[in-house]
Amino acid sequence: MTNVIDTIEADRALKARHRAMWAQGDYPAVAAEIIPELGAILVEACGVRPGERVLDVAAGTGNAAIPAALAGADVVACDLTSELLETGQRVAAERGAELRWQEADAEALSFSDSEFDTVLSCVGVMFAPHHQQAADELVRVCRPGGTIGVLNWTPQGFLGRMLATMKPYAPPPPPGAQPPPLWGDPDHVRALFGKRVTDVTVERRTVVVDRFETPEAFRDYFKQCYGPTISVYRAIADDPEAVASLDRDLADLARVHDVGTAGRTVMEWEYLLFTARRAVRSSG
């Protein structure tokens, strides 16, 4: 009994840290200024239609949920971090989108079995620490024959490499936690869903990021706005040499990926677009 209680308490503490990580900085700016088109791409790939019941998991500020609602679907946007949902509500109101916002854990969704026609997540569920639990929940709340769609950064793409660059400076992950970019590995995602899905489509694509004039401008923006980056810098704040080293590493990473002309840093960030249908008879 003690071990069970300890496990529950450890999970609560982990989720509290995740919630706090995404609440710091300005992730709404990242979603709106750096990757605004990704949610609509996922919604289109999932074939969302008017009247469908759609759940956006780890929705953040609604990068996918709002386009789905504007397409006429009956949408619920859920996320662990209530601060992001509050911003999403304001953005939705500005764009004339009507949908429901609900705080929820991607690994323990508070929805009924088979409740939704489409279940999707845009660079969101990949950050849930226990991949199989999260995948199981995506399948559970999707009706048989319904659509599951996820868009995630790949391990070898820029964001995957950025997270790998920060890893040596960060505290060790808790036992059982898996690296987020694995959700961008086709074999890993196929294994997570197994025979419970059919009609699988997998496509690697890139999004062009041209907001930054220099690699250093990219680094400084993410130091200020992106929760995972902020957390790593806070962990090494008392070590000036480590801070300087990470400063160099992040700027160098952006420099290596820069395909722009003089005076403007242009990068192509790779992501994996995965869609499938929940099998009518789930197994595996």
Side-chain angles (χ1 to χ4, degrees):
M1 179 62 72
T2 301
N3 288 339
V4 172
I5 294 174
D6 289 345
T7 299
I8 293 173
E9 290 302 317
D11 187 66
R12 286 176 179 169
L14 174 60
K15 298 303 170 57
R17 291 196 297 272
H18 271 241
R19 186 182 296 111
M21 178 180 70
W22 290 106
Q24 65 190 348
D26 192 356
Y27 184 75
V30 176
E33 298 171 1
I34 310 301
I35 54 169
E37 67 268 44
L38 292 189
I41 289 171
L42 179 58
V43 168
E44 181 180 3
C46 289
V48 172
R49 296 186 297 274
E52 285 191 333
R53 301 162 300 165
V54 174
L55 176 65
D56 184 4
V57 178
T61 55
N63 209 5
I66 292 173
L70 292 174
D74 179 10
V75 180
V76 178
C78 70
D79 198 278
L80 190 66
T81 305
S82 59
E83 291 88 345
L84 297 181
L85 297 177
E86 291 168 4
T87 299
Q89 286 179 285
R90 294 194 295 270
V91 174
E94 292 168 0
R95 297 181 60 182
E98 295 185 4
L99 61 154
R100 193 169 111 222
W101 303 84
Q102 182 170 326
E103 188 173 332
D105 179 354
E107 297 178 0
L109 295 171
S110 52
F111 304 103
S112 301
D113 294 355
S114 307
E115 186 171 341
F116 297 94
D117 300 302
T118 298
V119 179
L120 48 80
S121 183
C122 181
V123 294
V125 74
M126 65 181 290
F127 290 98
H130 307 107
H131 295 187
Q132 193 62 64
Q133 287 178 227
D136 291 349
E137 285 295 272
L138 297 183
V139 174
R140 181 184 66 79
V141 300
C142 183
R143 68 167 174 81
T147 300
I148 297 172
V150 290
L151 187 158
N152 296 306
W153 303 119
T154 65
Q156 66 273 23
F158 180 82
L159 248 293
R161 292 189 63 185
M162 187 185 84
L163 293 172
T165 297
M166 296 191 300
K167 184 177 179 180
Y169 300 92
Q178 294 176 282
L182 280 178
W183 272 94
D185 180 330
D187 292 337
H188 182 71
V189 182
R190 288 177 185 271
L192 290 176
F193 292 116
K195 296 180 180 179
R196 298 175 299 176
V197 299
T198 62
D199 303 314
V200 172
T201 66
V202 179
E203 185 178 357
R204 296 182 189 273
R205 297 187 185 181
T206 58
V207 57
V208 175
V209 176
D210 59 1
R211 184 187 187 280
F212 307 105
E213 292 187 1
T214 65
E216 288 76 16
F218 152 78
R219 176 200 64 207
D220 293 344
Y221 180 94
F222 269 66
K223 284 178 68 173
Q224 179 180 357
C225 296
Y226 193 59
T229 306
I230 295 169
S231 292
V232 172
Y233 272 99
R234 287 183 176 176
I236 60 174
D238 294 332
D239 186 344
E241 290 186 4
V243 171
S245 178
L246 182 54
D247 277 348
R248 289 192 299 270
D249 288 350
L250 289 178
D252 287 347
L253 180 67
R255 192 169 290 110
V256 167
H257 282 77
D258 184 4
V259 297
T261 56
R264 174 65 58 178
T265 294
V266 179
M267 297 175 281
E268 296 178 348
W269 295 3
E270 185 182 67
Y271 62 87
L272 186 78
L273 181 62
F274 178 100
T275 65
R277 293 199 175 277
R278 180 180 171 184
V280 174
R281 292 186 178 181
S282 295
S283 62

